């Protein structure tokens, strides 16, 4: 019998001809339209990681604090004293490119559902965003819409948006990245898992109604963006944060009854994903009757029910006989709750509609026994990388103590502070409610990581001493120029940012944003980035508890040429603060404090913001990473803060030593007089070259002796006193004055950079 679908119809579901043959073999027959749609979404990269699963298997996923690792809705870690923290990061890139407001808003809604599905109350949101350059009107529209969408959903649902990172680069012009991370505090006695159990147990559909919005969003998220993608607006979901607020409360109340056996939110691939994953994880089957599903539109067919990604919906397996108890809870919160099916012994997903079987598929064929592709790895680095690595500083114009290319060093500093990637993000975070719930310890922009007090919902504030620090990090230019070390540096920077506030790095959730793995360069980048993350996570003892893979982040131009983004493996990391009274921000705290540099002063211009901005050159290799030195520097900083010796701490990142000093001045509204550490090289390399394992701290004069003794014992030969906090300008001297710039000039440039471009 010939296939009932044309090659075009099969391709429109995101399936390859070989995959269709595989489906026929598994079913022993041709699929119907609904089943074809189910396979299309579940075999998309977004749902089954068919191109990345072999690479993800190398990540370390276990540790003494890891309670739940990859495979559930979110990871869960033990924070001691009975405190358990759930956290996860997810992407909503393609929807945000088409419909920025709803794309970003539902990205936040989706990641929050992953958290409370585990039985945890959401306590914080972070994000990691990438956009094109702000001189482009299209980029401005996307940027404004995404920020508005994040603020709308987070503010309305009452979860503080406490931190994140934003980069601007032309590589993201047509394909922005919107990665949302959420953190929650476990509120149920046991962690709620997603595997179905108990043959005959009822399956409950709870939450909002099902409509035609978000149709096939998972497949849409697994394809390149083209000029025709604007026609895919139906593949963008529409969110209701007020309804989800009710859903949070209803779910947590329901879980506390003990009547819920398993729970799964309906995110990508909606009913198809939730039924098949719950069935497969439990080694059982699920029968679901679509006639029982509350619909918001008339005339919906099984294909539409199964592929809808309407928001704020969940699927529960309940204890038999306790269905009404759960239904009453949801109805009291103004939500739908219906018994729509049951757990069956046969390992299949059986979908009923109007009295007949609309679809019947083995659950494992949809959820875990899915295609896996092994790609051939390039035997040597691609031409673009080899060309970049051949670059050296000798190719730059001469510079001296006065400056470079007719620019004084103070002017170069202002140029860098004016770059939106480096500049203040206040325009963004002032739109977020970052203090709702009254547990935000460190406000956005105040430190290298966000800090939130870990307080149970009815806990007394004065008794809650434990804090969670969180950060999202990735320098995509580093990863583009050297995927392995660029990705390792992202992990190192995340751990360093946590250490700069006094937190011990605990665990990682990652969001792998890449181009097409089917292209040799795309796979080379993905392969080496995964090995870099794996190595670094082992070194820092920060296991990966889960995350998200977002591939095919490419924009196909009108000539048919695909333009991939920079490879961007975002690292979300959480850290433990035993006492929230012993933390540090990045700004100077008081006049007269001594300034110290921790680490080895070995900057380089390769892959730097200075090289890209001032010389319009993307070349070289990122800074070298010595794991032993990195761990020693972080430990010294972390323990110095906990011992009350360190008043402020800030790592050297984009823009190098000088930009880090400027940010400390701006953050504390105080100047500094600093001597440039000894360096045998160009002035611009010393001032603006970038380096790993480097932290600038300030210490009270009264603590000088104790601090230096501590450093001699814990960081021998890798620290130096470099200056003093004083005045209202930043002075950097070598044999002569190199930079002398007043605080007001730096603040004006840094604070206005983004708003000025938008206006």
């Amino acid at each position: 019998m010939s296939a009932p679908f044309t090659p075009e119809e099969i391709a429109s579901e995101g399936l390859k001809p070989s995959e269709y043959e595989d489906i026929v073999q598994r079913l022993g027959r041709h699929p119907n339209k609904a089943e074809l749609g189910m396979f299309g979404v579940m075999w998309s990269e977004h749902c089954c990681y068919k191109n990345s699963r072999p690479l993800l298997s190398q990540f370390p996923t276990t540790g003494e604090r890891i309670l739940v690792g990859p495979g559930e809705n979110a990871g869960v870690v033990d924070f001691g004293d009975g405190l358990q923290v759930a956290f996860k990061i997810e992407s909503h890139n393609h929807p945000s490119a088409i419909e920025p407001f709803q794309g970003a808003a539902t990205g936040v809604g989706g990641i929050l559902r992953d958290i409370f599905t585990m039985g945890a109350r959401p306590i914080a949101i972070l994000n990691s965003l990438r956009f094109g350059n702000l001189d482009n009107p299209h980029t401005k529209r996307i940027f404004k819409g995404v920020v508005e969408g994040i603020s709308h959903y987070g503010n309305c649902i009452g979860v503080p948006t406490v931190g994140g990172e934003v980069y601007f680069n032309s590589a993201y012009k047509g394909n922005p990245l919107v990665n949302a991370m959420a953190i929650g505090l476990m509120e149920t006695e046991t962690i709620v898992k997603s595997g179905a159990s108990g043959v005959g147990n009822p399956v409950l559909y709870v939450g909002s109604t099902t409509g035609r919005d978000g149709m096939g969003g998972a497949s849409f998220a697994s394809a390149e963006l083209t000029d025709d993608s604007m026609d895919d607006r139906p593949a963008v979901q529409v969110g209701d944060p007020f309804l989800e607020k009710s859903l949070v409360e209803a779910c947590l109340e329901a879980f506390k009854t003990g009547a819920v056996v398993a729970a799964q939110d309906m995110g990508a691939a909606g009913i198809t994903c939730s039924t098949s994953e719950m069935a497969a994880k439990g080694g059982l089957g699920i029968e679901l009757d679509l006639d029982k599903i509350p619909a918001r539109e008339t005339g919906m067919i099984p294909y539409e029910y199964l592929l809808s990604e309407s928001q704020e919906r969940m699927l529960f397996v309940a204890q038999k006989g306790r269905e009404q108890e759960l239904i009453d809870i949801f109805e009291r919160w103004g939500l739908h709750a219906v018994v729509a099916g049951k757990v069956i012994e046969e390992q299949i997903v059986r979908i009923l509609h109007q009295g007949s079987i609309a679809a019947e598929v083995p659950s494992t064929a949809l959820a875990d026994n899915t295609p896996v592709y092994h790609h051939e790895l390039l035997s040597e680095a691609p031409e673009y990388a080899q060309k970049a690595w051949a670059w050296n500083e000798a190719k730059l114009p001469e510079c001296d103590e006065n400056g470079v290319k007719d620019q004084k060093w103070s002017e170069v500093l202002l140029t860098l502070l004016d770059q939106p990637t480096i500049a203040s993000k206040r325009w963004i975070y002032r739109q977020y409610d970052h203090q709702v719930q009254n547990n935000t310890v460190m406000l956005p922009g105040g430190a290298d990581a966000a800090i939130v007090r870990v307080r149970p919902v009815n806990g007394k504030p004065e008794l809650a001493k434990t804090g969670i620090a969180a950060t999202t990090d990735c320098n995509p230019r580093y990863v583009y120029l050297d995927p392995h070390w660029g990705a390792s540096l992202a992990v190192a920077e995340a751990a360093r940012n946590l250490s700069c506030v006094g937190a011990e790095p605990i665990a990682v959730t990652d969001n792998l944003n890449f181009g097409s793995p089917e292209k040799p360069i795309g796979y080379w980048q993905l392969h080496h980035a995964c090995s870099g993350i794996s190595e670094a996570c082992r070194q820092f003892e920060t296991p990966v508890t889960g995350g998200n893979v977002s591939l095919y982040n490419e924009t196909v131009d009108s000539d048919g040429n695909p333009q991939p983004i920079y490879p961007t493996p975002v690292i979300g990391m959480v850290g433990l603060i035993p006492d929230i009274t012993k933390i540090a921000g990045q700004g100077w705290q008081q006049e007269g404090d001594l300034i110290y540099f921790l680490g080895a002063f070995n900057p380089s211009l390769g892959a730097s913001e200075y090289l890209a901005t001032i010389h319009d050159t993307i070349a070289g290799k990122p800074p070298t990473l010595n794991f032993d030195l990195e761990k020693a520097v972080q430990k010294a900083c972390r323990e110095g803060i906990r011992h009350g010796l360190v008043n402020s701490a800030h790592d050297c990142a984009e823009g190098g030593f000088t930009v880090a000093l400027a940010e400390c001045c701006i953050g504390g509204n105080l100047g500094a007089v600093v001597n440039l550490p000894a360096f045998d090289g160009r002035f611009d390399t010393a001032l603006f070259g970038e380096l790993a394992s480097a932290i600038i701290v300030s210490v009270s004069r009264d603590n000088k002796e104790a601090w230096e003794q501590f450093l001699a014992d814990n960081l021998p030969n890798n620290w130096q006193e470099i200056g003093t906090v004083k005045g209202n300008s930043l002075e950097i001297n070598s044999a002569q004055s190199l930079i002398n710039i007043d605080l007001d000039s730096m603040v004006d440039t840094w604070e206005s950079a983004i708003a000025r471009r938008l206006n």
Side-chain angles (χ1 to χ4, degrees), residues 17 166 190 258 272 424 443 449 525 645 683 689 728 758:
V166 191
T190 56
T272 297
S424 168
L443 299 183
Q525 291 171 339
L645 296 172
F683 283 105
N728 55 9
L758 293 177

Side-chain angles (χ1 to χ4, degrees), residues 173-434:
K173 177 182 161 190
N175 194 138
L177 300 184
V178 178
N179 295 179
M181 176 176 167
I183 301 169
L185 183 60
M186 288 301 303
E187 224 173 77
T188 54
E189 281 188 21
T190 56
I191 296 167
V192 182
K193 301 283 187 73
S194 57
S197 66
V199 173
N201 272 338
V203 173
L204 271 69
Y205 169 107
V206 304
S208 185
T209 52
T210 295
R212 291 184 172 94
D213 54 316
M215 290 288 303
S219 300
F220 169 61
S222 304
E224 296 91 341
L225 291 168
T226 67
D227 289 346
D228 297 330
S229 293
M230 287 304 283
D231 298 336
D232 284 329
R233 280 176 184 262
V236 179
Q237 308 85 349
V238 179
D240 181 346
F242 298 107
L243 194 150
E244 181 145 321
K245 173 63 177 164
S246 296
L247 190 60
V248 173
E249 302 302 337
C251 285
L252 292 177
E253 188 178 331
F255 295 153
K256 288 172 188 174
T257 65
V260 179
V261 176
Q264 177 71 44
D265 86 292
M266 291 192 206
I271 289 173
T272 297
C273 184
S274 53
T275 51
S276 57
E277 286 196 352
M278 291 183 91
K281 284 176 185 171
L284 295 165
I286 285 181
E287 182 178 281
L288 195 80
D289 188 348
L290 297 179
D291 297 333
K292 306 276 178 67
I293 302 296
R296 72 179 66 146
E297 299 182 54
T298 57
M300 287 179 68
I301 58 173
Y303 177 90
E304 293 171 324
Y305 275 107
L306 291 165
L307 269 63
S308 165
E309 292 185 12
S310 295
Q311 296 291 288
E312 294 90 36
R313 303 177 301 155
M314 316 268 284
L315 210 61
F316 286 0
V317 173
Q319 286 185 6
K320 196 167 187 179
R322 299 187 69 181
E323 306 92 307
Q324 195 57 45
E325 187 182 343
L326 296 175
I327 290 169
D328 290 345
I329 290 171
F330 281 88
E331 289 184 345
R332 192 165 68 250
W333 283 99
L335 298 167
H336 294 275
V338 296
V339 175
K342 63 185 178 183
V343 178
I344 57 177
E345 195 165 341
E346 200 178 349
Q347 293 184 31
I348 57 171
V349 173
R350 181 182 295 132
I351 304 296
L352 307 176
H353 183 243
Q354 295 179 354
S356 60
I357 295 174
E360 191 169 82
V361 179
S363 54
T364 56
L366 291 170
D368 48 22
N369 183 21
T370 54
V372 177
Y373 294 115
H374 298 269
H375 299 281
E376 193 174 336
L377 182 65
L378 291 172
S379 58
E380 57 180 25
E383 186 184 358
Y384 87 84
Q386 295 196 37
K387 192 174 169 186
W389 297 346
W391 176 89
N392 60 56
E393 293 175 358
K395 296 179 180 175
L396 291 176
E398 291 290 318
C399 69
D400 57 25
E401 64 272 17
N402 296 312
V404 66
K405 294 203 307 186
D406 298 327
Q407 267 195 305
K408 292 189 168 76
W409 292 127
S410 296
E411 293 168 342
V412 171
L413 172 58
L414 287 179
T415 302
L416 290 173
L417 291 176
D418 187 53
Q419 289 305 301
T421 293
I422 288 176
S424 168
K425 307 302 185 293
R426 188 171 177 276
W427 186 92
I428 300 167
Y429 63 70
R430 69 181 174 84
Q431 300 183 49
Y432 303 152
D433 186 341
H434 40 260

Side-chain angles (χ1 to χ4, degrees), residues 25 48 58 92 254 343-344 349 490 518:
Q25 189 179 354
C48 81
Q58 67 190 293
H92 234 218
V343 178
I344 57 177
V349 173
E518 297 173 47

Side-chain angles (χ1 to χ4, degrees), residues 140-151:
K140 287 182 190 178
R141 182 185 72 82
I142 290 177
F143 172 63
K144 287 179 176 177
V146 165
V147 171
E148 192 182 348
I150 291 169
S151 70

